[in-house]
Amino acid sequence: MMTHLILDMAYSLRLLRKSPSFTALCVLVLAGGLAVSLFTFAFLYTLTNKPLPLPDQSSLYRASRDWYGEAFGESRYLPAYEAAAIRQQATVFKEHGIWQNKTVYLSQGENNLVVSAVRSTANIFDISRSGPLLGRLLHPRDSQPDQTPVAVISYAIWQSQFAGNDEVIGKQIYINDVATEIVGVMPKGYRFPISHDLWLPISQQLLHPLSTQREKVELFGRLKPGVSREQAQQQVLSLAEQSFSQRAETWPGVELIRAKVDIFQRFDVSTEMKIFSYAMNMLAFFILVLAAINVGNLLFVRAIQRNRESAIRIALGAPQWRLISQLMWEGVIITVLGTSIAVFISSVLLHAVNIYFRSLMNNELAFWYIWEMDVTVFSAALAFAVATIVIACFWPAFRAARQDFNRVLRDGTRGAQSKHAGFMSRLLVTLQISAISIIMVLGAVISTKVHNLTDMDLGYDVKGISFSIVELPESAYPENTDKSLFFERLQRALFNSQAFSGATVRFNHSQLPVAVGGVEYQRDADKPKVQVFSMIGSSEFMGPTLVAGRELDSRDGSGRAPAVLVSSSMAKRYWPNDSPIDKQIEVSLQAKVLRLNIVGVVSNTTNNPFHKKESYHEIYLSGLQFPMQRGTVFFEKTSAGVLVEDNFFRAINAIDSKLDILTIEDWELEADAIGKMTVTFRDTIVICGVFSLILAMSGIYGITAFSVEKRSQEVGVRRALGATDRKIMGLFVRQGSRQLIIGLLCGCLISGLMMFGLSSIMAIPSVVYLVIYASVIVSLTLIVLAAVIIPARRAVNLLPAVALRYE
Amino acid sequence: MAKTLLDLNNISKSFFTEDIETKALKNIDLVVSQGEYVSLTGPSGCGKSTLLSILGLLDEASAGVYKLCDIDVTNLSRDQRAAVRNREIGFIFQSFNLISDLTVEENVMLPLTYNKAHQNIDMKNLAKEMLAKVNMGHRIKHYPAQLSGGQQQRVAIARALVNQPSLILADEPTGNLDSENATAVLEILDQLHRDGTTICMVTHDSRCVERVNRAVYILDGEICPSPPSPPLLPNTGAAPKPAKACKQAATLD
Ligand SMILES: Nc1ncnc2c1ncn2[C@@H]1O[C@H](COP(=O)(O)OP(=O)(O)O)[C@@H](O)[C@H]1O
Ligand SMILES: [Mg+2]
């Protein structure tokens, strides 16, 4: 039996060597299709589902809650005291801790470094099941006020700042000017909870439910066995509500919306991103289906070609399993080869992506985003190979071995066995047309959407602009006048600095219903929702810029009648034939209904890339009258050589030196990085789409040509009976058209349903949909017609005498 | 004297496979009159099938002139050739050549569907009539693979006859059949001959040669002038009806 298997394998190898182009085509189709799907799958899987690279990641969760307040809009914010209260009473957690994100200055001698740090309960290392590489971990007593400040550093810091020197333990560094002792170094790659490099004890005060500490923290821990995410979320919400209601009077106009408990990988993934990745996965899935259909096709065609041979073998007494084994080996060898190449290609691609994103995101990439050929991806490839062998190798071989060999041998019409085969190949072509039309529509819509994002003109001139989000502590700045005073001083200081040529502070009041003067509204919901900002200082240097009327300035200070600027899009929409200046609008803000006088019109911008600036309406109030606790400070440096951070912090420190350390983002760099990423993303989709198109084209052409060629003899018979060329061409074209129409109908129906499901994020103009569908239909029609007409022409051009000899 | 139907003048045919020339036919001169029943015999590979293909316009001669019903068919267009095949010629093959995806009835109707003049006739009925004539009227919904060899050949004959051609070309029609089925097929051909159809039949079978009224012997692509032994026997059947003339020769241009 063993020797038989080896014999069969050797025979298959000989057959494959005898038709190298067929073998190469099969292997390439399989390898290409599988590589594309494996890569897409691995890419998205790493983004949302991949296990954390920790010793045990089961039931490890993050928890926080969202609230809504007029002073800050909707935001995720868990105050420290509330986290402490939840922690004290929660029963769903087996173990839990609290952490707080801090960006700090780490200085040591001359060196000064901005480091992403975390202040946390000491059990953070326990919960993540990790130990130190050197020294010790944090201890609960480190949190007590009288203790020397200590820190644990990451492997990367140890290497870059201390050259990997063992004597780092006990060394003194300064963290935000506080002398701190290094007590431990974590192993390479450990950056829990997200992308942190420095672990500090959280202060004891923060951990008391009755403290007045409102600092933003987050809960994390492990759920008890049997507790679901939903149960945990429920309990966190009710405990948060309890704690919140006890202090409701300190949060006027604020309401709790929801609690969120989720695994680390999905905690910060937005719904849009989830839908998007779902769409991408669908795309990958259909490409895989296409590749599988293609390989199935090719192997199937092969089995058919050897049908007569099999029948003769059966007649000669070959046992069924020998026949199956003989027919199967060819496919098995092709599948194994193709899968190996696919695994290789996708691991190279994943490695490249890993390097690319790391270089693009610096150190801020969460620690679990490691793109590589891991066990899961490899298993997926293996599963695919096994499925292919069963479906595309074993099954056709089994069928061929079980055929009515007597009929095949006796059959004088040569090809009566093809009745079933003919149906199969027609079905395969139809399936292929469906699959590729879905891929084309999905790919075109996704890449159009992404392309729109890359091409999007947000209306801002980001060149040389940096921004920083400044959050004032409520305790130090309780009143609106306190806040506006701070921000006004900051704006003026930046504006007057030699280093900066423009500065503005912007507060985001989110989208609010606005009543346009002179229009009657039945309900609040009828009012148009408009993005409401308030601003201190002119935004002329970055946009929006003034188009008509006047800017907001010191005339619009507190106590004055509130004035407002509207965007051009809004002016065009509501006062199409008239100047909006001196018209009125009404908006309810900070618990007051405001009647606002329009004094100016500014150019269009949008801060939501899913909306075009021309259709996104904005109004701007004076930040002196309507400041918020949190404002974004934008400023433009005068020249490339300016030390942005030094100048900015000097300005801040001059006003309030007790503010938390802030991070400054270079808007130009950030926009550039995001732009590059989206362009890469779009190109990847386009390449996948083009690749699958080639795959489908060769598949459709291959099968159709094969089935036409198989009918050469039939063509000869028909011509002997007097059929004209046109009659025969018509016959083939009609049959091809039937497959085309059925395939397209199914494909368009399925993709239409998918588009409907994705409409919330894939909103693109219906004209574009029309163009996409039209070009998919036209191009597939052309491909199918070519696949029919070219081989049919060839068959028709054979002399009937030759065609009749055709086997 | 009966009118001439086929007139081959100095016909040659060569095949080229990788620069090697195979001369399948060499300078063939052959005249067949309307109503004749001719057999073509000779050893395997001597060029019988090739000759028949040229007669049936399935292939083109490399050299020489071929006149069918006094018309030089050498230069007809593809469509004109198709029309001649459809109207004037019925083919019967050794391997039947039925189309496996079509039923018996559809196979027989096929030539009718290729003839514009037949657009208004009841093709189904005609096919049924033809199938009844060859004793296959009870199997019209079957597929070829569900029939025995003799049955398939009878269907193929019905298909060859359905357009009432003036010339029947048969390439070893009994070659794949047992003697009983072979006799049945030969009887159908005899009947056609009596009805005035011209028949050219390639055969090895001495029983076939007995039935024809002229035997042409081919050796190495050439017609042998001296008839080989055994000598030809006179036709034993009833006197043939007046020969079928070319139906639409005049319309070919
Ligand atoms: N398409 C072709 N290509 C090359 N050689 C051919 C072709 N068809 C026939 N021949 C050759 O022509 C000769 C005559 O063939 P054929 O007419 O089929 O012989 P037969 O008398 O047995 O029917 C043979 O030697 C054959 O090999
Ligand atoms: Mg022959």
Side-chain angles (χ1 to χ4, degrees):
Chain A
M1 173 145 174
M2 209 47 217
T3 51
H4 281 158
L5 278 184
I6 291 168
L7 265 177
D8 290 346
M9 247 179 91
Y11 177 65
S12 304
L13 276 174
R14 205 171 70 219
L15 286 179
L16 288 174
R17 257 210 313 275
K18 251 173 68 184
S19 47
S21 55
F22 169 82
T23 311
L25 182 70
C26 283
V27 171
L28 279 185
V29 163
L30 180 69
L34 185 55
V36 167
S37 346
L38 267 185
F39 172 72
T40 320
F41 164 74
F43 182 78
L44 297 167
Y45 163 80
T46 306
L47 273 186
T48 52
N49 285 73
K50 184 171 172 152
L52 305 177
L54 291 175
D56 170 23
Q57 66 130 16
S58 61
S59 66
L60 194 55
Y61 283 85
R62 281 166 76 179
S64 185
R65 48 80 149 173
D66 300 341
W67 61 4
Y68 177 83
E70 289 193 329
F72 49 80
E74 188 179 322
S75 90
R76 175 152 302 158
Y77 198 107
L78 180 62
Y81 63 84
E82 198 172 304
I86 294 169
R87 202 176 161 222
Q88 223 170 43
Q89 296 173 63
T91 55
V92 290
F93 290 101
K94 193 166 66 182
E95 43 196 323
H96 45 41
I98 290 176
W99 99 62
Q100 181 186 26
N101 263 324
K102 277 280 162 191
T103 305
V104 297
Y105 267 126
L106 185 160
S107 20
Q108 178 224 352
E110 312 265 273
N111 275 344
N112 225 332
L113 187 69
V114 177
V115 177
S116 167
V118 56
R119 289 187 196 281
S120 168
T121 47
N123 63 357
I124 186 166
F125 303 101
D126 245 9
I127 290 177
S128 59
R129 308 278 187 266
S130 303
L133 181 69
L134 289 177
R136 67 164 175 97
L137 298 172
L138 295 180
H139 191 272
R141 88 176 106 73
D142 293 331
S143 292
Q144 276 156 24
D146 51 341
Q147 291 293 315
T148 17
V150 295
V152 173
I153 60 173
S154 71
Y155 186 87
I157 299 264
W158 180 47
Q159 289 297 321
S160 66
Q161 302 302 306
F162 303 97
N165 195 328
D166 280 2
E167 283 155 28
V168 69
I169 304 296
K171 237 193 168 120
Q172 198 177 60
I173 51 173
Y174 287 87
I175 289 175
N176 286 354
D177 296 331
V178 176
T180 306
E181 184 191 330
I182 296 176
V183 294
V185 177
M186 291 309 288
K188 191 172 181 180
Y190 184 89
R191 302 191 68 195
F192 192 82
I194 296 177
S195 54
H196 296 97
D197 282 312
L198 189 68
W199 292 266
L200 307 166
I202 197 165
S203 91
Q204 197 72 60
Q205 285 178 298
L206 279 181
L207 299 177
H208 201 279
L210 295 179
S211 85
T212 51
Q213 296 286 332
R214 290 174 161 193
E215 282 182 54
K216 178 181 171 176
V217 298
E218 210 173 280
L219 273 170
F220 66 105
R222 288 176 189 259
L223 294 185
K224 281 184 181 155
V227 175
S228 73
R229 188 180 77 86
E230 286 72 24
Q231 285 168 326
Q233 205 158 267
Q234 198 91 69
Q235 191 179 65
V236 169
L237 181 63
S238 71
L239 292 176
E241 270 167 346
Q242 250 176 51
S243 161
F244 183 70
S245 64
Q246 285 164 11
R247 305 200 191 197
E249 74 286 350
T250 61
W251 299 108
V254 175
E255 57 186 314
L256 213 55
I257 324 175
R258 70 180 81 84
K260 169 139 183 155
V261 176
D262 212 333
I263 58 173
F264 279 63
Q265 298 93 316
R266 282 203 283 267
F267 197 77
D268 284 327
V269 178
S270 67
T271 321
E272 269 119 1
M273 192 55 214
K274 272 183 199 154
I275 301 175
F276 205 78
S277 91
Y278 162 82
M280 286 295 296
N281 262 324
M282 285 319 262
L283 189 65
F285 174 75
F286 278 106
I287 293 175
L288 188 67
V289 168
L290 192 69
I293 293 176
N294 257 310
V295 173
N297 267 345
L298 292 164
L299 294 176
F300 175 76
V301 159
R302 197 69 167 170
I304 294 299
Q305 278 173 335
R306 291 172 58 190
N307 232 352
R308 213 180 172 79
E309 180 198 318
S310 312
I312 295 169
R313 287 172 184 276
I314 298 175
L316 297 178
Q320 189 166 306
W321 70 265
R322 276 296 305 277
L323 217 60
I324 295 177
S325 140
Q326 231 154 25
L327 289 171
M328 253 187 81
W329 275 114
E330 228 174 301
V332 171
I333 293 170
I334 286 173
T335 310
V336 169
L337 258 177
T339 309
S340 316
I341 296 177
V343 166
F344 175 75
I345 294 176
S346 46
S347 54
V348 169
L349 285 177
L350 286 171
H351 187 65
V353 161
N354 204 38
I355 293 174
Y356 179 66
F357 278 120
R358 247 143 249 285
S359 72
L360 215 57
M361 301 278 294
N362 290 323
N363 261 331
E364 289 165 35
L365 210 57
F367 73 97
W368 58 88
Y369 291 149
I370 303 168
W371 286 277
E372 64 189 357
M373 176 60 55
D374 60 14
V375 178
T376 314
V377 182
F378 188 75
S379 319
L382 218 58
F384 175 82
V386 170
T388 307
I389 286 173
V390 171
I391 296 168
C393 305
F394 176 74
W395 181 239
F398 182 75
R399 298 283 313 213
R402 300 253 318 215
Q403 64 185 320
D404 181 357
F405 71 95
N406 196 19
R407 210 180 76 182
V408 176
L409 287 179
R410 209 179 59 163
D411 174 25
T413 63
R414 285 183 267 184
Q417 76 273 19
S418 69
K419 184 113 187 71
H420 173 75
F423 171 76
M424 273 303 275
S425 71
R426 282 196 294 277
L427 182 72
L428 284 172
V429 169
T430 311
L431 282 178
Q432 206 151 28
I433 294 171
S434 295
I436 186 61
S437 63
I438 295 171
I439 292 171
M440 284 171 77
V441 169
L442 206 58
V445 170
I446 295 177
S447 52
T448 308
K449 187 71 217 175
V450 177
H451 178 76
N452 285 351
L453 294 186
T454 60
D455 240 28
M456 191 100 164
D457 178 8
L458 300 179
Y460 297 105
D461 173 18
V462 301
K463 195 161 167 21
I465 308 268
S466 300
F467 65 87
S468 178
I469 296 172
V470 178
E471 187 149 3
L472 300 177
E474 185 75 23
S475 47
Y477 297 88
E479 297 299 325
N480 263 2
T481 44
D482 305 326
K483 296 170 196 158
S484 64
L485 197 64
F486 170 86
F487 283 117
E488 191 188 8
R489 284 179 65 188
L490 177 59
Q491 189 270 334
R492 200 166 298 154
L494 292 172
F495 188 75
N496 292 334
S497 149
Q498 295 274 308
F500 305 120
S501 54
T504 186
V505 181
R506 192 176 77 181
F507 307 98
N508 187 347
H509 299 273
S510 74
Q511 297 212 41
L512 297 173
V514 168
V516 175
V519 182
E520 294 282 331
Y521 298 93
Q522 302 275 320
R523 295 165 298 150
D524 240 24
D526 294 341
K527 295 179 187 168
K529 278 213 153 190
V530 170
Q531 171 66 49
V532 180
F533 289 118
S534 50
M535 272 200 313
I536 298 174
S538 165
S539 62
E540 210 55 30
F541 65 97
M542 60 170 225
T545 55
L546 195 66
V547 175
R550 68 164 178 91
E551 294 195 298
L552 299 175
D553 51 31
S554 54
R555 280 172 281 180
D556 306 295
S558 61
R560 305 293 190 89
V564 69
L565 307 178
V566 299
S567 63
S568 307
S569 63
M570 193 163 165
K572 203 165 148 196
R573 167 73 180 77
Y574 294 103
W575 299 275
N577 307 312
D578 200 357
S579 163
I581 293 182
D582 287 334
K583 303 281 190 306
Q584 263 85 46
I585 57 174
E586 223 174 69
V587 62
S588 155
L589 189 68
Q590 300 185 340
K592 277 175 287 196
V593 177
L594 305 171
R595 230 184 133 70
L596 304 164
N597 195 36
I598 300 174
V599 297
V601 180
V602 291
S603 63
N604 290 324
T605 57
T606 176
N607 61 336
N608 183 343
F610 283 90
H611 290 280
K612 278 201 163 124
K613 63 174 186 178
E614 288 78 13
S615 55
Y616 198 71
H617 301 328
E618 288 119 334
I619 62 174
Y620 300 86
L621 293 100
S622 167
L624 299 175
Q625 294 168 334
F626 305 99
M628 294 168 80
Q629 224 171 300
R630 184 170 56 196
T632 310
V633 186
F634 296 92
F635 45 96
E636 182 177 38
K637 55 185 173 199
T638 35
S639 71
V642 166
L643 295 171
V644 173
E645 301 204 337
D646 283 3
N647 286 291
F648 180 73
F649 288 127
R650 197 174 309 130
I652 287 245
N653 280 334
I655 307 169
D656 183 347
S657 57
K658 287 198 288 292
L659 273 186
D660 262 346
I661 179 136
L662 303 159
T663 53
I664 299 170
E665 312 282 351
D666 186 322
W667 202 2
E668 190 181 345
L669 279 185
E670 193 165 281
D672 210 43
I674 291 173
K676 267 191 198 142
M677 217 138 68
T678 29
V679 165
T680 317
F681 195 53
R682 176 199 64 193
D683 293 350
T684 314
I685 297 169
V686 170
I687 290 168
C688 289
V690 168
F691 175 78
S692 8
L693 191 63
I694 293 170
L695 211 67
M697 262 164 61
S698 57
I700 291 172
Y701 188 87
I703 300 196
T704 312
F706 172 77
S707 63
V708 171
E709 192 191 301
K710 227 175 45 202
R711 293 170 67 182
S712 291
Q713 191 225 2
E714 178 191 329
V715 170
V717 174
R718 284 178 187 270
R719 291 186 64 204
L721 298 175
T724 55
D725 297 2
R726 275 190 45 200
K727 261 243 154 35
I728 292 172
M729 294 302 288
L731 179 79
F732 283 115
V733 169
R734 256 198 313 284
Q735 285 182 354
S737 310
R738 200 175 318 142
Q739 292 162 32
L740 177 73
I741 290 169
I742 297 174
L744 275 180
L745 271 179
C746 295
C748 290
L749 200 75
I750 294 172
S751 61
L753 284 175
M754 289 169 67
M755 285 305 115
F756 184 75
L758 295 174
S759 58
S760 63
I761 61 155
M762 290 298 174
I764 55 177
S766 38
V767 187
V768 179
Y769 276 120
L770 261 172
V771 170
I772 289 174
Y773 271 101
S775 40
V776 166
I777 290 172
V778 168
S779 56
L780 283 182
T781 304
L782 289 181
I783 292 169
V784 171
L785 284 184
V788 171
I789 287 173
I790 295 170
R793 267 247 90 83
R794 205 179 308 135
V796 166
N797 279 335
L798 280 181
L799 278 170
V802 178
L804 284 169
R805 285 172 181 267
Y806 224 88
E807 278 280 353
Chain B
M1 166 101 194
K3 256 188 100 180
T4 301
L5 182 67
L6 311 174
D7 183 357
L8 301 186
N9 197 341
N10 213 10
I11 291 284
S12 295
K13 177 74 183 174
S14 299
F15 293 107
F16 292 92
T17 24
E18 292 166 2
D19 288 346
I20 300 168
E21 184 182 4
T22 313
K23 287 197 167 167
L25 296 175
K26 301 167 196 161
N27 311 89
I28 300 270
D29 290 313
L30 179 67
V31 177
V32 176
S33 304
Q34 285 179 359
E36 261 191 300
Y37 190 174
V38 181
S39 71
L40 302 168
T41 47
S44 181
C46 69
K48 306 178 297 285
S49 297
T50 307
L51 179 58
L52 210 64
S53 295
I54 291 175
L55 288 179
L57 304 188
L58 296 177
D59 207 344
E60 287 168 48
S62 314
V65 178
Y66 172 28
K67 284 186 184 164
L68 178 67
C69 302
D70 280 335
I71 295 167
D72 186 352
V73 293
T74 330
N75 297 318
L76 291 185
S77 75
R78 295 166 62 96
D79 280 358
Q80 284 169 332
R81 285 166 159 268
V84 172
R85 285 198 296 268
N86 185 255
R87 283 188 215 128
E88 307 295 344
I89 303 170
F91 289 97
I92 304 170
F93 304 97
Q94 177 179 3
S95 55
F96 324 137
N97 276 331
L98 297 175
I99 292 174
S100 54
D101 288 341
L102 301 180
T103 61
V104 162
E105 186 183 39
E106 288 164 341
N107 262 292
V108 175
M109 274 163 50
L110 212 52
L112 297 173
T113 62
Y114 294 142
N115 190 335
K116 285 201 187 100
H118 287 168
Q119 246 155 24
N120 298 320
I121 64 166
D122 186 351
M123 300 193 215
K124 275 202 173 158
N125 248 339
L126 209 63
K128 261 187 214 151
E129 257 172 51
M130 241 35 214
L131 283 165
K133 268 193 194 165
V134 296
N135 255 332
M136 286 298 298
H138 55 304
R139 289 287 169 95
I140 57 173
K141 294 293 177 206
H142 282 59
Y143 282 93
Q146 298 166 327
L147 302 178
S148 77
Q151 288 171 328
Q152 289 192 38
Q153 191 58 302
R154 276 185 277 158
V155 173
I157 293 176
R159 187 175 69 180
L161 299 181
V162 73
N163 260 347
Q164 290 162 338
S166 48
L167 174 63
I168 293 281
L169 299 174
D171 193 347
E172 302 190 37
T174 59
N176 277 349
L177 302 179
D178 56 56
S179 67
E180 204 172 313
N181 276 311
T183 311
V185 166
L186 288 175
E187 246 141 43
I188 296 171
L189 292 178
D190 279 352
Q191 183 57 46
L192 285 170
H193 171 55
R194 284 196 294 275
D195 290 347
T197 311
T198 311
I199 303 173
C200 292
M201 173 169 69
V202 169
T203 185
H204 285 309
D205 193 337
S206 59
R207 282 168 311 159
C208 301
V209 183
E210 284 165 14
R211 290 161 186 261
V212 303
N213 48 23
R214 175 144 70 111
V216 174
Y217 192 75
I218 303 177
L219 193 61
D220 256 347
E222 286 173 301
I223 292 180
C224 243
S226 57
S229 56
L232 272 179
L233 293 171
N235 184 11
T236 47
K241 285 183 187 175
K244 264 190 203 169
C246 251
K247 277 178 291 180
Q248 287 148 352
T251 63
L252 296 174
D253 40 315

